[in-house]
Structure formats: structure tokens, C-alpha cells
Amino acid sequence: MTVRQDVHSAGIPVLCQSCEARHRGICGALDPDQLVGLAKTSSTHTVEPGSELMGDAETVDSYSNVLSGVVKLTKSLSDGRQQIVGLQFAPDFLGRPFKVESVINAEAATAVSLCSFPRASVERMMRESPDLEHRLFKQTLNELDDARDWMVTLGRKTAAEKVASFLLMIARNIDPTLDPNTNPTSFELPLTRADIADFLGLTIETVSRQLTRLRTDGVIRIDNNRHVTVDSLARLASRSGA
């Protein structure tokens, strides 16, 4: 793996040198000594699609940086019904600091690589490092802005605009190493048609119909039912109502 040179690597643990969480995530707020301390308590691992990462009302023992893949966030009702309320990509921070219990379900939508560390280690560093606390606060505000934007998508956009908005979000976020405006962009759909329908408040048939329309109009190409290629993100964005 090639070590990125845009951030000085002297004193940085090997584990952290190529990690997007150090360049764009919360670990960017830590100095080399703090990274060394955190690396001593951290572990990296990969989980299979469908694996539960965090359960609602589950005791929080650790937090994680998403290194690759897509995490599906859901909320459950007492009768078992679920709603997908968000997606997380690298280098997002998975977990809610200073919460004893989780308030959301997190599941690997694709194969997901994580760097996990004990809750106590992170919360101690937050007390010692105002920059880390600031970085987490900033991510929380970004997630709030994203949630408000998604409320507009769900509440005001047409079915065609909703599906285009979903594809645009995936294209821009699924690979943190790529320029978000790269053309063409290819990716595997991280959700099933049923999950996409749930996320967008549409029927499965409507999702399939809108994907077919985008493909017929040459906005996207779909191979093997899951592999999507977007030749022009600007053209896709114009179909999203943005």
C-alpha cells in the first residue's frame, strides 16, 4: 500500500499512515504521540455484509472508524418494523461518544473494514485534546446537515429525483480515495432494491422503473443488476433536483 505524502508521516504508526481517517476523519486531530497511544489499543478487522456492528439499546464498549465499505443505520419500532435512517462511508466515525447505550442499529451493508478502539480510550483523548472533540462535534453537525438535506429529498423530491439523489450520494462517497467529481465513476450498489425503496420511501417497482429510465436515457449503465457506472456526475446531479 502506498503511503500518502500530503501529510507528514514522521512518527506516525504504520497502521495509520495510509488511513483516510487520519487525513479526513477524526484522527486528523491527533498528534503523532496521541496516534501512537490510540494505535496501541486499536484493532482493524473486516466484517461480512449483513453483520450487525451495533445494536439498539446495546451497551457501547467501543467506537470505530469506517475504513472502507458502507454501513447501514436503522431505527426499530417496538413491533419489529425498521427504517433505514442513514448510511456511513469511510472515514466516518461509528458510535455516539458519552452514551452508555447505543440509540441506533448499525449493519454492514457491504463488506466493511473497521478500525476499532475502546470507548474509554477515545473519551479520555477527547478530554485531553480539544481538537479531537472539535472534530467530532464538526462531524456531528455535518451529519445533521446531511439529515436535513435528506428530509428535503424524502419530502419534496419526485421519485426520479430521489433515485438520482441516492446514486449521486453513493458515487461521491463510496470510495474515499477518489476525487468525488471523477468521471466516469463505477460502484456496486450497496443496498438491495428493497433497501433502496425503504431508504427512499418508494416501492421496489418504482425504484426499478426509475433505474431503468436512467439507464435508457444514458445517465447510468448497470451490469449484473448491481454494478453501476456513471459517465457524467454533472448529468446525474441535474436529474437529482439539486
Side-chain angles (χ1 to χ4, degrees):
M1 183 178 293
T2 302
V3 176
R4 289 173 51 159
Q5 298 300 318
D6 55 315
V7 176
H8 188 53
S9 298
I12 303 297
V14 173
L15 180 70
C16 305
Q17 287 182 7
S18 298
C19 178
E20 286 298 319
R22 183 174 76 87
H23 296 273
R24 299 192 297 118
I26 66 157
C27 291
L30 302 177
D31 62 33
D33 289 340
Q34 290 171 321
L35 281 172
V36 169
L38 187 60
K40 290 179 179 177
T41 67
S42 67
S43 63
T44 58
H45 52 109
T46 301
V47 296
E48 296 300 313
S51 301
E52 184 179 81
L53 307 177
M54 183 170 59
D56 191 9
E58 185 178 276
T59 300
V60 177
D61 296 318
S62 64
Y63 302 123
S64 300
N65 285 324
V66 180
L67 304 181
S68 66
V70 181
V71 175
K72 177 174 68 176
L73 305 178
T74 63
K75 291 285 289 184
S76 300
L77 299 178
S78 57
D79 62 3
R81 286 176 293 168
Q82 282 192 336
Q83 172 67 46
I84 300 174
V85 296
L87 300 175
Q88 287 193 308
F89 308 87
D92 286 344
F93 182 80
L94 178 62
R96 174 77 179 274
F98 303 116
K99 271 282 189 180
V100 177
E101 291 185 347
S102 65
V103 294
I104 204 165
N105 302 295
E107 178 185 315
T110 65
V112 174
S113 294
L114 301 168
C115 181
S116 301
F117 17 76
R119 187 182 100 189
S121 297
V122 177
E123 294 185 350
R124 183 183 68 252
M125 284 193 171
M126 287 180 63
R127 290 190 292 268
E128 297 171 351
S129 174
D131 287 343
L132 176 59
E133 190 171 32
H134 176 78
R135 186 70 69 100
L136 278 167
F137 180 60
K138 184 177 179 180
Q139 177 174 309
T140 300
L141 292 178
N142 288 340
E143 290 176 354
L144 177 60
D145 289 339
D146 290 343
R148 287 170 172 166
D149 288 341
W150 201 248
M151 287 174 65
V152 174
T153 296
L154 297 180
R156 287 290 178 260
K157 290 188 177 182
T158 66
E161 290 170 338
K162 287 179 180 181
V163 172
S165 294
F166 170 77
L167 293 175
L168 189 63
M169 176 179 63
I170 301 303
R172 287 175 169 171
N173 290 282
I174 199 164
D175 187 346
T177 66
L178 294 179
D179 183 330
N181 296 309
T182 296
N183 290 309
T185 299
S186 296
F187 55 88
E188 297 290 325
L189 283 173
L191 302 182
T192 64
R193 295 286 199 278
D195 277 347
I196 295 172
D198 178 32
F199 191 35
L200 298 178
L202 302 172
T203 65
I204 299 174
E205 293 76 17
T206 298
V207 169
S208 295
R209 187 162 54 249
Q210 296 305 327
L211 288 172
T212 298
R213 181 175 296 176
L214 288 170
R215 182 176 60 187
T216 301
D217 292 346
V219 179
I220 63 173
R221 286 177 278 139
I222 304 178
D223 299 309
N224 300 321
N225 208 39
R226 295 292 290 268
H227 187 79
V228 177
T229 299
V230 182
D231 289 319
S232 171
L233 288 176
R235 191 177 178 197
L236 180 60
S238 71
R239 299 289 287 264
S240 73

